[in-house]
Amino acid sequence: MTVTVLTGAGISTESGIPDYRGPNGLWRADPEQERLVTYHHYMGSAEIRRRSWLFRRDSPAWDAEPNAAHRALATLPDAWIITQNVDGLHRRAGSPQDRVLELHGNMFGAVCTSCGADSTTLEAVERIMAGEDDPACRACGGILKTATVMFGQSLDQGVLSRAVEAAGNCEVFVAVGTSLQVRPAATLVSIAAEAGARVVIVNGEPTAYDHMADEVIHDPIGVAVPRLCAALTA
Ligand code: ZN
């Protein structure tokens, strides 16, 4: 059985990573914080960039461990894992790197916005802690940023097209811990449903796509996903 999974912030809250966009999310509580991950604010201000690196430094993702749901998904043979999360927990849970599609990138990588050179968030944070205000690309002097998709940026088209293909070519499509309010990730549910996949939605709250689902599960994700994965591999 071919399975494609879409995960959102809700799968990582049990690993201690808050849902920044959710009903009680940081972005809603503090619009100033949202500026730190909004592309034009970031590119336009060295002070925003410095605060943005420090915000990443303080992320709970550095110390977070994959939970039972991440681990259960890693046991699904040949599944595609499409995630809106930047916390790297699917790979750390054992999902093969080439089967994880990170729609919003990864916070541990860094990239130069001018020449595209890869580096790491850790290195940029260490340069700030060593006294640099605005660490620039060592190759070309350009502005560095995390390898994440900030507000105001487009998704990586290569990653997105692979996600669309995975959604359209599966027998079972499972959406976990996502409110399905952010396009185009939410559209993947429609693509899977229209292609004839069995659609399962696991989320604490109702979503706008529940009517397309064959099954909607509101149980805690750390319980529901291992149970579902056991049934899918039985
Ligand atoms: Zn560069």
Side-chain angles (χ1 to χ4, degrees):
M1 183 148 18
T2 58
V3 182
T4 294
V5 184
L6 169 67
T7 69
I11 195 172
S12 292
T13 53
E14 289 179 33
S15 291
I17 300 173
D19 178 358
Y20 291 123
R21 296 181 197 239
N24 303 309
L26 180 60
W27 301 154
R28 285 168 199 246
D30 187 355
E32 279 301 302
Q33 294 277 348
E34 187 167 337
R35 292 159 61 90
L36 305 184
V37 291
T38 299
Y39 189 71
H40 74 275
H41 290 305
Y42 184 90
M43 295 302 286
S45 162
E47 175 57 20
I48 293 273
R49 291 195 287 276
R50 183 173 176 279
R51 287 171 53 203
S52 185
W53 290 118
L54 295 177
F55 166 71
R56 296 295 184 186
R57 177 196 66 182
D58 295 339
S59 169
W62 294 98
D63 298 318
E65 294 294 332
N67 63 55
H70 296 105
R71 291 194 301 268
L73 292 174
T75 68
L76 294 174
D78 298 325
W80 284 103
I81 310 285
I82 306 164
T83 186
Q84 298 170 276
N85 301 335
V86 299
D87 56 33
L89 289 178
H90 286 297
R91 294 187 198 182
R92 286 191 45 214
S95 286
Q97 186 156 338
D98 61 353
R99 304 296 286 191
V100 178
L101 302 175
E102 294 174 317
L103 290 177
H104 297 160
N106 188 298
M107 61 161 268
F108 301 105
V111 65
C112 172
T113 58
S114 292
C115 76
D118 291 320
S119 54
T120 68
T121 297
L122 183 61
E123 182 190 334
V125 166
E126 284 176 346
R127 287 170 65 182
I128 285 177
M129 301 316 287
E132 288 187 53
D133 284 333
D134 183 23
C137 174
R138 291 194 191 280
C140 79
I143 294 174
L144 297 178
K145 67 178 283 293
T146 50
T148 55
V149 178
M150 290 186 171
F151 293 121
Q153 280 191 289
S154 308
L155 301 193
D156 181 303
Q157 288 304 306
V159 173
L160 182 60
S161 64
R162 287 161 73 201
V164 166
E165 195 173 323
N169 290 293
C170 62
E171 291 166 88
V172 179
F173 184 91
V174 186
V176 180
T178 167
S179 53
L180 299 175
Q181 287 171 338
V182 181
R183 290 177 182 278
T187 314
L188 297 171
V189 180
S190 316
I191 290 169
E194 283 162 20
R198 175 177 171 76
V199 173
V200 182
I201 294 177
V202 185
N203 198 49
E205 306 292 324
T207 78
Y209 289 78
D210 286 359
H211 66 282
M212 284 190 191
D214 297 282
E215 190 178 358
V216 177
I217 303 172
H218 293 305
D219 293 338
I221 287 168
V223 175
V225 171
R227 188 176 61 208
L228 183 63
C229 291
L232 288 172
T233 53

